[in-house]
Amino acid sequence: MKIVIAGAGDIGFHLSKLLANEQHDIVLIDTNQEVLDYAQNHLDVQVLRGDATSINTLKQAEVDEADLFLAVTTSESSNIVSSILAKKFGAEQTVARVSNGEFLEPFQREIFQQLGIDKIFSPAKLAVMEIERLIKLSEVTDIFEFENGKITLLGISLDDDTPILNKSIEQITTKYKHLNFKPIAILRNNDTLIPRDKTILLRGDHIYLIVTKEDIKKVLKNLGKKLVKVNNIMILSGGEIAIQTAKLLENQYNVTIIDGDRNVCKRMAETLHKSLIVKGDPSDIDLLKEEGLEEMDAFIALTRNSETNIITSLVAEEAGVFKTIAMVDNIVYTHISQSIGVDTLINKKLIAANNVFRFVRKGNVEAITSIHGVDAEIIEYAVSEGSVLTQKSLKDLNFPKHALIGGVIRNNEAIIPSGDFQLRSGDKVIVFAMLESIGSVEKLFLVE
């Protein structure tokens, strides 16, 4: 597959890294020679210095032969223009990064499609949606919904209050066989493990589960997670993304938002209707306490400084805040959230890259996500008619060793399958796959 990526920043680099591992023919375009040199020294990609809105640059990149054109620069207008040009020159599919939330409205999406842009996405909007999900289910550190929530991926930390410590997966699934869930991954000391029957769960493990919608609360309660209702939320402002977050949350929660920029506070006052707006330094711990930090149920740090977000979140944890979320720019930080004490570290660029990544997957991919710190992907596939997967029960399939099937959607019904379960054409299948096994998994789901 030939892929042309405009923009070698964090999103472009991360996408290139994911794609380069799978032997795609990648051309990375940017005007900054320094970031191109870094990409060329670390990735197996072809780099091209130039403006992606330039016809000559696109011709040099041979965009007319591209299966996919991804415009992910920090300039919204450049992404739109370059995507339209790429489509006109013959790129099969185009995806553009935008910042204006209005562009995501159905009517405007349709206009962009008519212009030649197949998909538009906003990193900020995707991050805001993830924050909302994490607040709604504050007991978990990670959450991703498949098929409108019929099946959900949850991440939880195992502490001293967890009744499943020092028990095997087999013991746990037997004890709670009346509940519809399945452990699909364990993060232990930065190592990713696929849980097998004899795997013993230890204190400090971070376990990921596939759960049906109806049993989420029951599973969390039985696994010892305290069910807490969030009422009061403090947000450290990061400008527009904080405003979008507060706007989404203020009708359901009591929101206090703190920012040191007078103009940003003015914009908040014009946009928000129920939130309490405080002008002050978000890194001033005394100010946070004066504004009721200890009475908060959730704390969301969205400033442009990753270190400030992490440190203030740790202070919030120390003050007794139940749920802490910190936005970080450095992807390296996303691997350490469980070890440093912050509930969830999120990176909007990584979220965006994962969202875009499904456009380059093969084998009837419906959705895809990755987990911070886990060297694997969770992919939703559709089973095609006549697939070899429908010919045997799951336990008898020659399924890759480092992958497993966690859930199935059949006729809008969520199923946690046993080894005796047999797939049918039309089923939606949630697969956990370590990076080295993704190619083998894809082959099984490819349409003939």
Side-chain angles (χ1 to χ4, degrees):
M1 182 181 256
K2 182 177 177 62
I3 302 169
V4 178
I5 302 175
D10 285 347
I11 295 179
F13 182 85
H14 184 66
L15 281 168
S16 299
K17 183 179 179 181
L18 292 173
L19 297 167
N21 290 332
E22 302 182 9
Q23 288 77 52
H24 291 292
D25 179 12
I26 301 166
V27 179
L28 188 58
I29 303 172
D30 205 288
T31 57
N32 187 327
Q33 187 63 49
E34 187 176 340
V35 296
L36 290 176
D37 289 341
Y38 183 83
Q40 193 165 38
N41 290 333
H42 291 81
L43 305 172
D44 182 18
V45 297
Q46 178 186 345
V47 299
L48 176 62
R49 183 178 181 182
D51 184 344
T53 63
S54 162
I55 291 176
N56 287 334
T57 299
L58 293 176
K59 285 183 176 179
Q60 289 180 58
E62 298 179 336
V63 74
D64 57 310
E65 299 178 6
D67 299 289
L68 180 65
F69 179 83
L70 302 172
V72 293
T73 75
T74 55
S75 170
E76 179 179 75
S77 58
S78 292
N79 294 336
I80 291 171
V81 171
S82 62
S83 295
I84 293 172
L85 289 174
K87 193 73 168 188
K88 292 296 182 184
F89 285 138
E92 187 173 328
Q93 190 172 32
T94 59
V95 180
R97 169 188 180 179
V98 299
S99 54
N100 188 338
E102 292 181 3
F103 290 163
L104 301 172
E105 297 296 327
F107 174 69
Q108 298 204 36
R109 282 180 182 270
E110 187 176 334
I111 292 175
F112 281 116
Q113 287 177 346
Q114 292 171 359
L115 290 171
I117 304 176
D118 297 299
K119 169 76 174 180
I120 59 173
F121 72 97
S122 162
K125 181 65 174 179
L126 293 170
V128 168
M129 292 168 62
E130 177 150 332
I131 290 169
E132 182 191 29
R133 288 192 294 267
L134 288 165
I135 292 298
K136 282 184 176 179
L137 202 60
S138 59
E139 302 85 2
V140 306
T141 60
D142 301 83
I143 182 169
F144 187 86
E145 296 178 342
F146 295 93
E147 295 296 311
N148 297 316
K150 291 184 178 66
I151 283 186
T152 301
L153 167 72
L154 304 177
I156 61 172
S157 297
L158 302 188
D159 50 35
D160 291 331
D161 298 327
T162 307
I164 58 176
L165 285 184
N166 304 315
K167 290 184 170 56
S168 69
I169 296 297
E170 186 176 34
Q171 288 174 311
I172 295 164
T173 52
T174 299
K175 180 177 180 179
Y176 301 113
K177 61 183 178 181
H178 58 291
L179 298 175
N180 291 307
F181 77 102
K182 185 171 185 174
I184 63 164
I186 299 170
L187 185 60
R188 177 179 295 168
N189 298 325
N190 294 322
D191 292 326
T192 303
L193 309 175
I194 291 185
R196 304 300 183 187
D197 283 348
K198 303 304 179 184
T199 303
I200 304 294
L201 295 179
L202 306 176
R203 184 185 184 282
D205 281 353
H206 207 75
I207 186 168
Y208 298 90
L209 315 164
I210 290 291
V211 187
T212 60
K213 182 177 182 179
E214 295 77 16
D215 280 358
I216 288 176
K217 293 290 186 180
K218 295 176 186 175
V219 167
L220 290 173
K221 186 174 182 180
N222 277 277
L223 298 188
K225 303 312 291 182
K226 183 180 179 183
L227 303 183
V228 173
K229 179 175 173 54
V230 171
N231 292 308
N232 303 315
I233 301 174
M234 179 176 285
I235 300 175
L236 300 194
S237 179
E240 189 60 34
I241 189 169
I243 294 173
Q244 289 186 41
T245 301
K247 188 175 181 180
L248 194 62
L249 298 177
E250 67 176 357
N251 289 323
Q252 304 172 64
Y253 309 96
N254 302 316
V255 175
T256 299
I257 184 167
I258 300 174
D259 195 288
D261 188 304
R262 185 178 300 276
N263 291 328
V264 173
C265 289
K266 184 178 179 181
R267 165 117 168 85
M268 289 178 187
E270 295 170 349
T271 306
L272 305 175
H273 304 294
K274 296 182 180 180
S275 299
L276 172 63
I277 302 164
V278 178
K279 183 186 178 300
D281 183 359
S283 65
D284 185 343
I285 304 303
D286 290 333
L287 173 64
L288 303 187
K289 291 180 178 179
E290 288 174 9
E291 295 301 329
L293 179 63
E294 295 179 351
E295 283 73 51
M296 296 296 158
D297 304 304
F299 180 88
I300 309 170
L302 302 175
T303 76
R304 293 177 177 85
N305 188 299
S306 299
E307 289 75 18
T308 294
N309 294 340
I310 292 173
I311 292 170
T312 52
S313 294
L314 291 173
V315 171
E317 290 268 356
E318 186 68 23
V321 179
F322 179 74
K323 181 69 181 177
T324 56
I325 301 171
M327 178 80 76
V328 296
D329 276 334
N330 192 329
I331 290 177
V332 174
Y333 286 151
T334 61
H335 291 258
I336 62 173
S337 58
Q338 281 79 51
S339 60
I340 66 174
V342 180
D343 283 332
T344 306
L345 296 182
I346 60 175
N347 180 296
K348 63 181 179 182
K349 296 168 184 174
L350 190 60
I351 295 169
N354 290 333
N355 183 268
V356 173
F357 194 39
R358 69 188 180 90
F359 285 89
V360 300
R361 304 263 35 143
K362 297 167 288 187
N364 284 1
V365 171
E366 299 286 321
I368 184 171
T369 188
S370 62
I371 307 170
H372 298 156
V374 174
D375 299 320
E377 292 174 3
I378 299 91
I379 310 171
E380 179 186 351
Y381 291 101
V383 179
S384 56
E385 190 170 352
S387 169
V388 295
L389 295 168
T390 64
Q391 298 171 12
K392 298 178 181 179
S393 63
L394 295 185
K395 66 182 179 183
D396 295 323
L397 289 175
N398 187 24
F399 212 69
K401 180 181 179 182
H402 295 104
L404 59 80
I405 292 176
V408 177
I409 302 290
R410 174 177 292 170
N411 299 326
N412 288 322
E413 179 188 358
I415 302 167
I416 304 298
S418 65
D420 295 322
F421 186 85
Q422 190 161 346
L423 295 172
R424 299 176 188 167
S425 62
D427 285 349
K428 305 288 183 65
V429 182
I430 296 30
V431 177
F432 174 87
M434 302 284 278
L435 297 182
E436 64 267 28
S437 65
I438 290 174
S440 299
V441 171
E442 284 183 339
K443 288 178 183 178
L444 292 172
F445 285 92
L446 276 172
V447 180
E448 297 297 333

